[in-house]
Amino acid sequence: MTKTITLAHGNGGQENNELITEVFYKAFKNDILSKSEDAAVIQDGTLAFSTDSFTVSPIEFPGANIGKLAICGTCNDLAMMGAKPKYLTCSVILEEGFDVETLNRIVSSMKKELEVNGAIVVSGDTKVVPKGSVDKIFINTTGIGEIEQKGISSNSIEDEDIIIVSNSIGKHGATIFAAREGIDFSTSLESDCASLWPVVKKLIDSGIKIRALRDATRGGVSAVLNEWAKQSDICIEIEEEKIPICDEVSGICEMLGFEALSLANEGTFVMAISKDQVDRALEVLKSCETSKEAAVIGKVTSRHKHKVVLNTAWGTQRFIDLPTGELLPRIC
Amino acid sequence: MTKTITLAHGNGGQENNELITEVFYKAFKNDILSKSEDAAVIQDGTLAFSTDSFTVSPIEFPGANIGKLAICGTCNDLAMMGAKPKYLTCSVILEEGFDVETLNRIVSSMKKELEVNGAIVVSGDTKVVPKGSVDKIFINTTGIGEIEQKGISSNSIEDEDIIIVSNSIGKHGATIFAAREGIDFSTSLESDCASLWPVVKKLIDSGIKIRALRDATRGGVSAVLNEWAKQSDICIEIEEEKIPICDEVSGICEMLGFEALSLANEGTFVMAISKDQVDRALEVLKSCETSKEAAVIGKVTSRHKHKVVLNTAWGTQRFIDLPTGELLPRIC
């Protein structure tokens, strides 16, 4: 660890893992925490429990605002454990002078998104701090969900399993970057921010046995695949030409040297399933608006254990590493 | 509502209630939320669920730091519903450049206080924001507790019930004020910050039937009693000379024109019980270090419904109102 915290410690990548492991996990060590993925599994495997603080800037952006994001973010963490979002708490830190009309707009987006999930806010907290102590508004949401499919875990992926992404990638990261830098592409680019429980529920109800599931937020698809490769002791090989990326995201990536695989998503997940389930899963995914561009992007092999390999369109290969550094702080 | 948020909207008093009611409760309206007190009661009355974000400044002060406070605060909210703190989430927002050694000190205080409660952190989140976007460190903790005594509620206080405070009041507020202003009283004044589950557990195990219980945080004892008077449709009369206040707190109050009854506490609660239980309750309370100055301070009457009446040492009387304005932002 360095002596002071850097922006990279919040990147969802390597330095972030270092901070979590060396400071927080070390002190709080326990069996549930060490097995915790997007959410902790408690009460004999019946409930999932997850927290997230949202600091996104700007607080309103194409496709969503910090309120919608705060509900999607925590509900999605529960959904990724196969859990139906049920009860949420909501804790808001406001800067003195914050505009009440904007606050009402944010809260009304939260209400709408709670309904999509069938979840309710049951307890809250409001703090107001003097001007300059916080930038506008930060929101924490913490949720409890009821697990409807047990055993979803990044430890249980098997050889020959298939890797699917639920939609075209990188839209949230690209949108925030464009909004923050005042870049106007005059396009329809907007954040993919969306609630994922409805589509996960459909997958479960269709009898799909999900091996692993993760929304590709900070650190993007790269971070998820790298974590899975390590935790399931496997190699993941993905095919560059199969990864769905829209033109706007490609454009921003080319122009600025970003890797779309490392850009944040807020309504797009990665899923590992056995190959016999792929056709049915794709059918379900494509029937939902939030995952209509779902695609198989690769598979599990035993080639380079603990590594993610990208096979390019030109037949070459390279490793995709866990993101390091931080290009886009306050992405969520 | 005003058009912009003011510091008073975070005071734990009148303006705070207004913000919560007109913005958050209005949007999130549901049966559990409307009955929620320090914590929501969920899962058929078996679990309590509560959240709190901590923004205290300075982050280290006599008697505690923001880490200890974050564990005590949320665990106490659960304890006040008769619930044993069990699972916590911990979400930390750090300012770029924050000192890692200080962070380790804070996290180690959290670990120690978790042990006092017999609770564990099962899931977390870490965000790092650029310099100036947050002042040093904010921590959210959200907890689930298992309810060991049901029916504790600020709606169920009855005529002739007795009001007890668990310790001498106002120490947290006075300590933060002194620390922030650089006032050195060269005294032993320190925050009362402490975990209350151990003493609540003792009360429950001694067969005490608790009517209402509330830690007197933001807004102090005044805020708790005013809320109880309204929600239980009663008058609460308290005797000035019976309220335990230490010399240091009295001194700060006299010097600065504060009302000790409105100063924040972080390890002191107010309890309503029937009069036949008072002797046993006081015996239990005085046997615990954190409540050894417990005292009966008043009782429930039907004199002025929805009001809190203070009988002074000189035989005069005045109403104690819900605090308004904000003298001490970032008290917790």
Side-chain angles (χ1 to χ4, degrees), chain A residues 3-5 27 30 36 40 43 52-53 86 91 97-98 100 107 121-122 125-127 133 135 140 142 218 330, chain B residues 3-5 27 30 40 43 52-53 86 91 97-98 100 107 121-122 125-127 133 135 140 142 218 330:
Chain A
K3 282 194 169 174
T4 58
I5 298 293
N30 62 71
S36 175
Q43 300 292 82
D52 231 325
S53 286
K86 194 169 178 186
S91 179
F98 192 77
V100 171
V107 170
V121 166
V122 294
D125 177 50
T126 314
K127 294 281 173 1
S133 296
D135 184 22
N140 175 282
T142 302
R218 274 185 295 178
R330 296 184 66 187
Chain B
K3 283 194 169 174
T4 57
I5 298 293
N30 62 70
Q43 301 292 81
D52 232 326
S53 285
K86 195 169 177 187
S91 178
F98 193 78
V100 171
V107 170
V121 166
V122 294
D125 177 50
T126 314
K127 294 280 175 355
S133 296
D135 184 22
N140 175 282
T142 301
R218 274 185 295 178
R330 298 184 65 187

Side-chain angles (χ1 to χ4, degrees), chain B residues 255-327:
Chain B
M255 199 168 65
L256 301 161
F258 291 161
E259 176 101 75
L261 282 167
S262 300
L263 283 182
N265 310 273
E266 289 293 345
T268 302
F269 59 80
V270 190
M271 176 166 70
I273 48 173
S274 67
K275 56 183 177 186
D276 59 298
Q277 310 237 312
V278 171
D279 294 343
R280 203 145 32 111
L282 281 179
E283 194 183 312
V284 171
L285 290 170
K286 290 182 182 209
S287 74
C288 297
E289 186 60 30
T290 53
S291 51
K292 63 179 184 198
E293 291 178 80
V296 168
I297 62 163
K299 66 177 181 199
V300 177
T301 70
S302 50
R303 208 168 181 186
H304 297 280
K305 284 211 168 166
H306 299 184
K307 288 286 186 188
V308 179
V309 177
L310 179 80
N311 297 317
T312 71
W314 299 278
T316 62
Q317 291 173 348
R318 63 183 172 94
F319 291 133
I320 297 291
D321 292 319
L322 200 59
T324 59
E326 178 57 301
L327 294 166

